[in-house]
Amino acid sequence: ALMARGVGIIASIIGVFSVKGDDDVDKDPLIAIRRGFWSSAAIAAVFTAILAYFTMGGSNNPIVTSKFESTNSVTADFRREAWTWFDKNKGTKTPPESADEFLNGPIAKKYGLTAKEDKQLVEGLFQSAPKLKNIPEAPKPGDFAGIDEMSTNKVLKYTVVRPVAEGSKEEQYITLGEYLKTKPKVFQVKIVQPPQADPRDPAKKVTPPVQTRWIGPIDEPFLDTQIKKAKDQGLEVTKVGEARPIVVFSNSKEELAVGVPGLLDSPLKLAGLSLNVLEEDPKTVKDFSEAQKLNPTATNSKQPTPVTTDFGRVVATPVPWWTFAAMIVFGILMAFAIEALTDYYVSTHKRPTQEVAGVATAGPAPMIITGFAYAAESSVFMVFAIVAALLFPLFIFAPATFGGYLLSFYGIALVGLGLLTTTGYVLAMDTFGPISDNAQGVFEMSGDGHGNVYGSKAVQRLDAAGNTTKALTKGFAIATAVVAAVALFHSYLESARLQDIGLRLEVPEIFLGLLIGGAAPFLFSAFSINAVGRASFELINEVRRQFRSDPGIMAGTSTPDYARCVAIVTAAAQKELLGPGILAIALPLAVAFGFSIGKPHTVINGQEYNLVGAQALGGFLVGAIVTGQLLAVLLANSGGMWDNAKKLIEDGLHGGKGTEAHKAGIVCDTVGDPFKDTAGPALNPLIKVMNLVALLLAAKVIEPLENGTLILITGVAVASLIFAIYLSKKGSLSAEMEKATAENAAIDAANAAAAVAPKKKLTVEELTKTDDEA
């Protein structure tokens, strides 16, 4: 990731040098910027593909994923298929005849059965074949992940009862973690039995077929002892092939599975393996065993709980290096899609902005309606682009192939990394917006804007291009926020132990949390937009006050109090941030702990959890991500569209500056400024902060806390929310307008009284006073 980010910076620098001017650039400044972006993205794609080749297994051993394939599940599937086949094809044939035919068919080949060694297994299966209606469904294992003796998983503290060694009279109780340090293995052995009497003709002797089976997990010295004992009983047992170490898996339910790595001819032959594991710690199990030896009839002690251990094989799947490069390249392609969508809806050279400007002669209302409609449309298409980017990793890194969603989420992270490879150039485009905007402001203040038509149009077009690049970078920001939120959301589900039960919408608490989460971005936007309105009105009132109290400002004989204006804006920026900040933290707290009050606990492997609040918080996050993305793009693009529509009018459309159409454009631009510069960009950190808060809360939310504690936490969170709402309502615009009107009226009255009041004649003593005394 660090190398790819460095490559992106290099590509961005090269992209800067690819920016060239020509006649087309004079018509549309975005052409030069777009060329640089394309060059930067193309170079980043090539370099990251090379990095993927050398770092992700292209030049040496490929990266290999492993998944657990349950023997119980495979056996159940095999039985269903075999019994179905037998019920359809048995006819008048006996089970041995049917077995011969079955072993030569596709089902036996699919499950790795051979005609000689597995005939008895199939014959016994057919002799006990039930009717179709009694065929059981195949149990499906959970989402297992491998663990080792160095892991912190709770299952490593379970107790393993080791086999009794030769000459030992006591059993040994150790933890599963200690047992794994001994490197237990499974062995394949060949068993040759001596000739036995034929059940149909006792006078004859028949030789049982040679059996090959897997046994273990077991220590090799103990296995050698057992082989020696079998030889004394007339059995010939020999080890076949290499012994294979076991791999222990566990899932979120703390269930166990043991896998045998390597290619096996058939996982059905692992059905006889077992591992004796108990849920309690070794001391508890040993104390119970000793108590039972002293008093076998005692029932005071709790019976140790056996842990069901599923055996299976570990299926290894190599991951081609190009799949990792494809993820990053697809992220870069997504960057192109965001650039194209934003350019279409915001650029002055495209239809949506031109249509918004085209209705300016009808007033600001049609401009607002048209711009809002186009911005809402752009938000939908942006969602489609993000969904395509998130589906691509699920398609390339299919969970069924690679043993779960872990690699899929890694692919999603790589898509986000592909988006960020052009970060250097995206930041350049983001900076270009304020530079061009301020350049126009400096040009206007210089006084040349009224006499230099060509220069005026030049800075206006640059400003319009800057508005488009700013909208583009905001689209990048919200897209990366959604990609990051998906990864954080998956981590939250794991931390809150919701991976297995999921988030089912028929659960009322989840649906209610979804509604609250969907409303959160709207309340956050209301806070920020109202904050901009209050601060801007306070600033406007201060400017008007200075003009009224000091006529020399307009005459050019005195200097305005700039420091006062800066202080107002700075104080408002800090003060108004308090309410939205409280909302981002207190609302997830209120949902998580509020919906946990009075809810029943869920027992998972003997441990109690309160999962209802965690489920409601999961629904809350889903709603916040969905509406936050839609609203952020809507606000950013609508503001940019209205601003550029005004630029088109200033460029000469509908009469240019000073016309009624220009006044309508100014109104729309004023409406769009808090949309595109405050509320829209602020939703990006809101989504991330809410997901991070939920992730940090997950472990505490699922604890079975007392209702009193839950009520206290919820009360504090709700009180904080009420305080945040109170701050957002404090000092409404109407009240500020009334206050400003009264102050202005008082200033006007004072100025009028000073103008008509008779001048006082000063005495000699007053005229001779020093300035300080005066």
Side-chain angles (χ1 to χ4, degrees):
L2 291 175
M3 286 189 292
R5 184 64 60 81
V7 166
I9 295 175
I10 295 173
S12 300
I13 295 174
I14 298 175
V16 171
F17 288 101
S18 67
V19 176
K20 297 180 180 179
D22 52 29
D23 293 339
D24 292 332
V25 174
D26 190 41
K27 300 176 183 177
D28 184 5
L30 278 175
I31 292 178
I33 299 173
R34 195 178 299 119
R35 287 172 182 167
F37 176 71
W38 292 345
S39 301
S40 172
I43 296 169
V46 173
F47 273 87
T48 50
I50 295 173
L51 284 174
Y53 177 80
F54 285 104
T55 61
M56 308 306 285
S59 59
N60 45 41
N61 295 328
I63 293 176
V64 179
T65 63
S66 60
K67 66 177 180 179
F68 175 74
E69 186 179 85
S70 169
T71 296
N72 291 337
S73 178
V74 173
T75 301
D77 291 338
F78 167 72
R79 286 178 176 174
R80 287 175 59 83
E81 294 184 40
W83 287 338
T84 302
W85 180 92
F86 179 73
D87 188 74
K88 181 179 179 181
N89 298 282
K90 62 183 179 180
T92 58
K93 297 179 181 179
T94 63
E97 293 173 341
S98 297
D100 289 335
E101 185 177 346
F102 177 81
L103 288 170
N104 292 320
I107 298 178
K109 183 178 180 181
K110 173 183 175 181
Y111 289 94
L113 301 178
T114 60
K116 292 182 179 180
E117 298 180 356
D118 303 306
K119 185 174 181 179
Q120 286 184 336
L121 183 151
V122 176
E123 286 181 4
L125 179 71
F126 287 164
Q127 287 174 353
S128 61
K131 296 181 180 180
L132 283 176
K133 63 180 181 180
N134 296 325
I135 297 177
E137 291 290 336
K140 301 299 179 184
D143 187 14
F144 285 107
I147 59 175
D148 55 31
E149 66 272 12
M150 301 302 294
S151 174
T152 58
N153 198 305
K154 179 183 175 182
V155 300
L156 292 177
K157 297 181 181 180
Y158 289 169
T159 300
V160 174
V161 182
R162 289 172 60 87
V164 181
E166 182 68 17
S168 175
K169 297 182 180 180
E170 294 185 1
E171 294 178 332
Q172 187 179 15
Y173 306 97
I174 60 175
T175 63
L176 178 59
E178 294 171 337
Y179 178 68
L180 293 180
K181 292 180 181 179
T182 65
K183 306 299 181 184
K185 301 177 181 179
V186 295
F187 298 83
Q188 189 177 22
V189 298
K190 183 173 68 173
I191 303 173
V192 179
Q193 302 181 36
Q196 299 177 1
D198 189 345
R200 292 170 293 184
D201 188 357
K204 294 182 179 181
K205 295 276 187 177
V206 295
T207 301
V210 177
Q211 299 182 16
T212 303
R213 67 176 63 173
W214 289 89
I215 61 174
I218 195 173
D219 297 330
E220 191 164 8
F222 180 69
L223 174 62
D224 293 338
T225 302
Q226 298 301 316
I227 291 176
K228 182 179 179 181
K229 288 182 178 180
K231 186 176 181 180
D232 297 339
Q233 298 174 1
L235 298 177
E236 182 181 346
V237 182
T238 57
K239 290 181 283 187
V240 180
E242 294 183 4
R244 298 183 181 179
I246 62 172
V247 180
V248 177
F249 294 83
S250 178
N251 60 11
S252 57
K253 294 182 180 180
E254 296 175 351
E255 298 172 332
L256 280 179
V258 178
V260 179
L263 296 177
L264 303 175
D265 52 358
S266 175
L268 299 174
K269 299 176 183 179
L270 296 176
L273 302 182
S274 63
L275 179 64
N276 186 11
V277 181
L278 301 173
E279 191 173 309
E280 289 73 16
D281 61 272
K283 184 179 183 305
T284 302
V285 175
K286 185 177 181 180
D287 292 343
F288 174 82
S289 178
E290 292 177 351
Q292 287 294 105
K293 290 178 181 178
L294 295 175
N295 187 4
T297 61
T299 58
N300 295 332
S301 301
K302 181 183 177 182
Q303 184 82 17
T305 307
V307 178
T308 303
T309 306
D310 192 5
F311 263 82
R313 63 178 176 177
V314 179
V315 181
T317 305
V319 186
W321 70 269
W322 61 264
T323 56
F324 300 102
M327 296 297 107
I328 298 178
V329 172
F330 194 83
I332 296 174
L333 293 177
M334 184 182 174
F336 278 106
I338 295 173
E339 188 270 339
L341 282 171
T342 307
D343 180 62
Y344 175 75
Y345 283 100
V346 180
S347 174
T348 55
H349 291 72
K350 297 298 189 296
R351 179 181 175 183
T353 301
Q354 291 175 352
E355 287 200 5
V356 173
V359 297
T361 54
M367 293 183 69
I368 293 175
I369 293 172
T370 305
F372 193 87
Y374 273 117
E377 180 182 297
S378 70
S379 186
V380 173
F381 286 115
M382 189 69 76
V383 167
F384 290 163
I386 294 175
V387 169
L390 298 182
L391 281 178
F392 187 71
L394 296 177
F395 175 75
I396 297 296
F397 297 129
T401 302
F402 296 102
Y405 286 95
L406 182 61
L407 198 58
S408 300
F409 279 96
Y410 181 69
I412 291 175
L414 289 181
V415 170
L417 182 62
L419 268 174
L420 295 174
T421 51
T422 55
T423 298
Y425 202 84
V426 170
L427 290 176
M429 289 191 292
D430 195 23
T431 309
F432 173 76
I435 291 175
S436 59
D437 196 351
N438 287 341
Q440 185 194 24
V442 171
F443 182 79
E444 293 291 341
M445 287 189 294
S446 68
D448 289 338
H450 300 286
N452 191 338
V453 179
Y454 180 81
S456 180
K457 288 187 176 182
V459 293
Q460 287 169 9
R461 290 180 181 179
L462 285 176
D463 191 12
N467 289 333
T468 305
T469 59
K470 285 191 293 184
L472 171 62
T473 55
K474 290 162 188 171
F476 272 106
I478 191 61
T480 56
V482 173
V483 172
V486 171
L488 290 173
F489 182 70
H490 178 71
S491 300
Y492 167 76
L493 292 181
E494 289 183 341
S495 301
R497 309 185 71 87
L498 300 176
Q499 199 169 11
D500 294 305
I501 63 175
L503 298 175
R504 303 190 311 274
L505 289 181
E506 68 268 19
V507 177
E509 290 82 1
I510 297 177
F511 189 76
L512 295 176
L514 180 68
L515 293 177
I516 298 174
F522 289 89
L523 184 59
F524 183 86
S525 298
F527 283 4
S528 56
I529 292 174
N530 278 331
V532 171
R534 284 192 298 270
S536 61
F537 189 83
E538 188 176 355
L539 180 62
I540 292 170
N541 186 40
E542 172 62 21
V543 172
R544 289 176 174 173
R545 185 193 65 78
Q546 292 191 28
F547 283 155
R548 289 177 180 275
S549 60
D550 188 358
I553 295 176
M554 294 299 292
T557 59
S558 60
T559 303
D561 187 1
Y562 296 113
R564 174 59 183 163
C565 296
V566 173
I568 290 174
V569 175
T570 305
Q574 297 174 346
K575 179 179 64 176
E576 298 291 354
L577 184 63
L578 185 59
I582 293 174
L583 171 67
I585 297 175
L587 195 55
L589 273 169
V591 171
F593 292 101
F595 282 99
S596 298
I597 299 174
K599 295 299 187 294
H601 297 168
T602 302
V603 179
I604 301 177
N605 291 332
Q607 182 70 33
E608 288 190 353
Y609 299 99
N610 190 341
L611 300 181
V612 179
Q615 287 179 303
L617 184 56
F620 172 88
L621 295 178
V622 173
I625 293 172
V626 173
T627 61
Q629 194 281 331
L630 290 168
L631 190 58
V633 177
L634 167 67
L635 295 173
N637 285 355
S638 61
M641 207 178 303
W642 288 323
D643 197 347
N644 277 353
K646 185 193 72 170
K647 292 294 186 298
L648 281 176
I649 298 171
E650 291 176 345
D651 202 25
L653 187 67
H654 299 303
K657 291 184 177 180
T659 62
E660 292 299 321
H662 186 222
K663 293 179 181 178
I666 293 175
V667 171
C668 291
D669 186 23
T670 306
V671 174
D673 278 342
F675 282 21
K676 67 183 178 65
D677 295 328
T678 303
L683 288 172
N684 172 16
L686 173 71
I687 294 175
K688 293 179 180 177
V689 167
M690 284 185 169
N691 277 273
L692 285 173
V693 169
L695 188 59
L696 295 173
L697 286 177
K700 185 60 65 175
V701 169
I702 61 177
E703 288 186 9
L705 302 176
E706 298 291 336
N707 284 334
T709 303
L710 296 174
I711 293 173
L712 177 62
I713 297 174
T714 305
V716 172
V718 172
S720 301
L721 285 173
I722 294 174
F723 176 69
I725 295 174
Y726 167 76
L727 287 179
S728 71
K729 301 298 182 183
K730 185 179 180 182
S732 64
L733 288 181
S734 60
E736 292 293 332
M737 289 182 67
E738 293 176 0
K739 180 180 177 182
T741 302
E743 290 178 355
N744 293 334
I747 293 174
D748 291 339
N751 290 336
V756 300
K759 294 183 179 179
K760 179 183 177 182
K761 293 183 179 181
L762 299 178
T763 64
V764 176
E765 291 80 5
E766 291 174 330
L767 288 172
T768 56
K769 283 183 178 179
T770 64
D771 291 340
D772 291 339
E773 291 173 341

